[in-house]
Structures are given as structure tokens and as C-alpha cells.
Amino acid sequence: MTEVKKIAHVAILVEDIDDALKFWRDALGLELGHVEEVPSQGAAVAFLPLGDTEVELVQPLGEDSGLAKYLAQRGGGMHHLCFEVEDISAKLEELKAAGVRLINEEASTLEDGRQIAFIHPKSTGGVLVELVQY
Ligand code: CO
């Protein structure tokens, strides 16, 4: 079985990153690593590194994305848990073979080269799970 290395990040869905930073950075005291737009995911994200993991703030871009609709319906809050894996393609194959419902059958490659895929909450006990390979 291909290795799961660590929790890469815990993601929180927010209406506005700048506003959310008033708590996560200014009040709690986490450092802001970097902010990036991920158009393929319809989101802007801010990463706040902590130990060997990170908190990710996710803000929907535009009003038509799935994320924007999710935010409108359920409000902000815990959104997903991301695990770093050794080999994302192999892990997706293993999960498929185990009958796990995947949102992305194949990983997508982001601009910095990292590969990600999501697993459906129906198969995880209700938590949206992201896999990443750096
Ligand atoms: Co994420």
C-alpha cells in the first residue's frame, strides 16, 4: 500500500480571506505563508504553516463555483482535510479497488506542479478528503 505521509493541511472555508486573517493571523498568531489563486478549483487560498502542517483558508472566487454555492448554503467552517501521499496515482487506484467513492478519478496538476484529488465524504465518514503529492 502506498504511503500516507502526514496531514498536509486542514482547510477552512471562509467568505473573505482578509477578514478571516483577523482571527487566524492577528488574534491567534499564525504566520501567513502565501496566498494564491487556484482558478481550476474556483478558489483563492491562503496557507498558514504551523509545525510540519498548515492551515488553509479557502475563499470561493466568483459566484457560480461549487464552492460559492456550498458557502451560500452552509456557511463557512471546516471544509476538508488534506493528506500528503507518496504516490497519488497509485493511492487513487488502491482506493478505487477498495470501492471508495472518488470525486476525482485522476489527480489534477496545479501550477506549481503539485498534484491533488478529492475523495467523496460519503466514503470517509462525512469529511471531504484531499490527497496531495508534492
Ligand atoms: Co486543500
Side-chain angles (χ1 to χ4, degrees):
M1 191 174 277
T2 182
E3 189 193 349
V4 179
K5 296 171 136 184
K6 64 173 198 176
I7 293 178
H9 58 260
V10 175
I12 295 150
L13 185 63
V14 301
E15 217 157 295
D16 182 78
I17 286 174
D18 289 328
D19 199 47
L21 285 173
K22 290 179 193 157
F23 169 71
W24 295 98
R25 180 189 56 198
D26 304 342
L28 187 61
L30 303 189
E31 303 249 342
L32 176 58
H34 71 285
V35 181
E36 66 181 292
E37 291 197 354
V38 190
S40 63
Q41 305 291 317
V45 295
F47 285 102
L48 299 102
L50 179 66
D52 73 344
T53 187
E54 297 182 289
V55 171
E56 176 188 34
L57 303 176
V58 183
Q59 174 192 326
L61 287 179
E63 286 175 10
D64 290 332
S65 68
L67 269 180
K69 285 175 190 149
Y70 182 101
L71 180 66
Q73 280 169 6
R74 309 208 215 170
M78 264 294 305
H79 188 257
H80 65 267
L81 205 51
C82 179
F83 295 93
E84 181 182 349
V85 295
E86 185 86 65
D87 181 338
I88 195 166
S89 302
K91 184 52 83 183
L92 289 170
E93 287 306 318
E94 287 172 8
L95 291 167
K96 247 182 271 181
V100 171
R101 186 164 157 195
L102 304 175
I103 292 175
N104 309 115
E105 301 258 318
E106 313 255 314
S108 42
T109 304
L110 303 186
E111 273 175 32
D112 64 358
R114 74 184 190 271
Q115 294 180 274
I116 63 167
F118 285 90
I119 303 171
H120 201 283
K122 278 248 150 66
S123 289
T124 66
V127 182
L128 178 61
V129 172
E130 178 184 10
L131 301 177
V132 65
Q133 180 187 338
Y134 291 102

